[in-house]
Amino acid sequence: MPLVAAAVCPHPPLLVPEVAGAAAPELDDLRTACDAAVARLLAAGPDEIVLVGGGPATTPFGASDRGSLRGYGVDRSVPLGRTDGAGAERLPLSLTLGAWLVGRSGTALPRSAEAVAVDESVSGCVDLGSELLRRGDHRTALLVMGDGSACRGEKSPGYDDPRAEPYDEGVARALAAADADALLDLDPVLSAELRVAGRAPWQVLAGAVRAAGGDWRGEVTYDAAPYGVAYLVASWEPA
């Protein structure tokens, strides 16, 4: 399949205003950046959207599958497809938030999703990215969900780690340059120590772009660490 565009977004539950409650305005800029990244995907004219995000195991999901926000205080089911299908609520958080973002856009395009195990090897991620391109001949856009380090400051979920900021800066440079090789150089062990949720999904993206071939350009439209977790939003397009 031709890969026509890709976007990278984070997946904090607080991205959903109903979950954030009174704190929702604190992430308005992030929400706006994510919406714009999805709109940019749609502007590339894909026939379908494939979501990629971390999960406990590498698992494909179809349009009938759903996620849930009940674990975050909101009694809401989030369908992957355009309607609330009969499938189980089994999407991991990353894909639940991705499905929420795509649903928020109002697009009628078909969509599917792939969870990649958070501890997947680099080569496994590359293989999965390449496999995604072999599944059909549709014009496909990838929405890749993943957070950066969770160790940016003493109040962060992983406490303060001096390695976190340089790590996140390296990811931001790679995303801005559409540098697949730099993403593939991310160390799984260090990534796990820094509680990075996006390492494996980013490397699936790198594998897909490498398989697609050609030159790519990237742009980072959001780069900040509210609540001590690094959130990056980026768009990749053929050059």
Side-chain angles (χ1 to χ4, degrees):
M1 71 183 181
L3 182 63
V4 298
V8 171
C9 292
H11 52 74
L14 294 179
L15 195 62
V16 180
E18 296 93 327
V19 174
E26 296 176 8
L27 291 184
D28 276 350
D29 289 350
L30 174 58
R31 213 169 282 117
T32 297
C34 290
D35 287 342
V38 173
R40 199 159 164 177
L41 279 185
L42 299 177
D47 299 320
E48 65 175 1
I49 298 177
V50 177
L51 284 65
V52 178
T58 299
T59 310
F61 297 94
S64 65
D65 290 311
R66 297 172 290 159
S68 175
L69 297 173
R70 293 184 182 88
Y72 304 95
V74 175
D75 186 13
R76 179 172 175 182
S77 179
V78 181
L80 176 57
R82 287 175 288 171
T83 58
D84 194 359
E89 291 181 346
R90 63 192 193 107
L91 296 180
L93 174 64
S94 61
L95 297 178
T96 298
L97 268 292
W100 178 81
L101 282 173
V102 174
R104 179 177 165 92
S105 75
T107 180
L109 286 177
R111 71 282 316 240
S112 60
E114 186 82 36
V116 56
V118 294
D119 59 352
E120 183 63 77
S121 66
V122 176
S123 61
C125 293
V126 171
D127 289 345
L128 179 57
S130 179
E131 180 189 337
L132 292 177
L133 296 190
R134 295 195 298 266
R135 290 184 179 176
D137 57 1
H138 304 292
R139 288 172 54 84
T140 300
L142 291 180
L143 176 57
V144 181
M145 307 298 295
D147 300 347
S149 74
C151 301
R152 296 282 294 274
E154 295 180 359
K155 295 183 179 180
S156 67
Y159 197 65
D160 186 51
D161 190 315
R163 301 172 296 174
E165 188 168 356
Y167 178 101
D168 294 325
E169 290 173 348
V171 174
R173 287 193 299 270
L175 292 176
D179 189 341
D181 290 340
L183 291 181
L184 294 176
D185 283 341
L186 295 174
D187 179 17
V189 174
L190 175 60
S191 301
E193 291 174 352
L194 296 177
R195 301 179 65 168
V196 176
R199 190 274 307 174
W202 298 332
Q203 290 180 333
V204 172
L205 166 63
V209 167
R210 177 182 281 184
D215 295 326
W216 288 72
R217 61 176 179 268
E219 182 182 8
V220 172
T221 56
Y222 185 95
D223 179 1
Y227 318 127
V229 181
Y231 299 145
L232 292 156
V233 179
S235 294
W236 284 20
E237 299 162 340

